[in-house]
Amino acid sequence: MDDSGRPPWLGTVILLGGLYLAIGIASAALAGAAASNQLRSFWRLSAFVISAVVFAAHIAHEHFRLRNTARPTAWHASLAVAFGAFALALAANIHDLGSASGYRPRMLIALVAWPLLTAVPAFIVALVVAAGLGVKRPGV
């Protein structure tokens, strides 16, 4: 814990969740302005690739710098992903409020569904990767 009384990893979770939000919004804007379907697909794919790099960097930070074991590493990485997904769902709900067709109440489901649909696989992947990083090889 730091002087503020919050765990040191919480700031990283919030920062990276915000980064996932920024990546999602920026790539959506670029894809929306794309002149062709091929360019639109490129911007959407780039969001996944950039997010994967951020995710891998978070796992590396947790494992090598903070020296966390596999379970806390996976938990913190999946929390950041869930926070970013929740923020994107909230942004989508706000965007839907201003749409010409009017707000669709079923959009509220995204506030729960998106974080769950992203955090669960993120936890599993981070757990496997972090566990693999923690394996000691004989003679090394």
Side-chain angles (χ1 to χ4, degrees), residues 1-2 4-11:
M1 297 246 178
D2 61 13
S4 68
R6 66 179 167 85
W9 54 265
L10 188 58

Side-chain angles (χ1 to χ4, degrees), residues 12-23:
T12 304
V13 165
I14 293 169
L15 175 70
L16 294 181
L19 186 56
Y20 288 128
L21 171 66
I23 292 166

Side-chain angles (χ1 to χ4, degrees), residues 1-139:
M1 297 246 178
D2 61 13
D3 292 339
S4 68
R6 66 179 167 85
W9 54 265
L10 188 58
T12 304
V13 165
I14 293 169
L15 175 70
L16 294 181
L19 186 56
Y20 288 128
L21 171 66
I23 292 166
I25 290 174
S27 66
L30 291 167
S36 67
N37 284 335
Q38 187 176 11
L39 194 54
R40 185 174 299 114
S41 295
F42 168 78
W43 287 119
R44 289 179 177 162
L45 179 61
S46 70
F48 287 112
V49 171
I50 295 167
S51 294
V53 170
V54 170
F55 185 67
H58 190 184
I59 293 170
H61 171 74
E62 290 278 338
H63 180 79
F64 294 113
R65 183 149 184 158
L66 300 181
R67 301 206 176 273
N68 284 329
T69 58
R71 191 171 299 141
T73 295
W75 175 244
H76 300 160
S78 65
L79 277 177
V81 168
F83 180 70
F86 176 79
L88 277 170
L90 187 59
N93 272 269
I94 292 168
H95 177 75
D96 202 43
L97 280 171
S99 69
S101 61
Y103 184 72
R104 298 167 293 175
R106 68 177 178 264
M107 282 292 293
L108 290 171
I109 296 170
L111 295 172
V112 174
W114 291 6
L116 285 175
L117 290 171
T118 57
V120 172
F123 181 84
I124 294 167
V125 169
L127 187 64
V128 168
V129 170
L133 289 173
V135 173
K136 300 284 188 217
R137 289 180 178 76

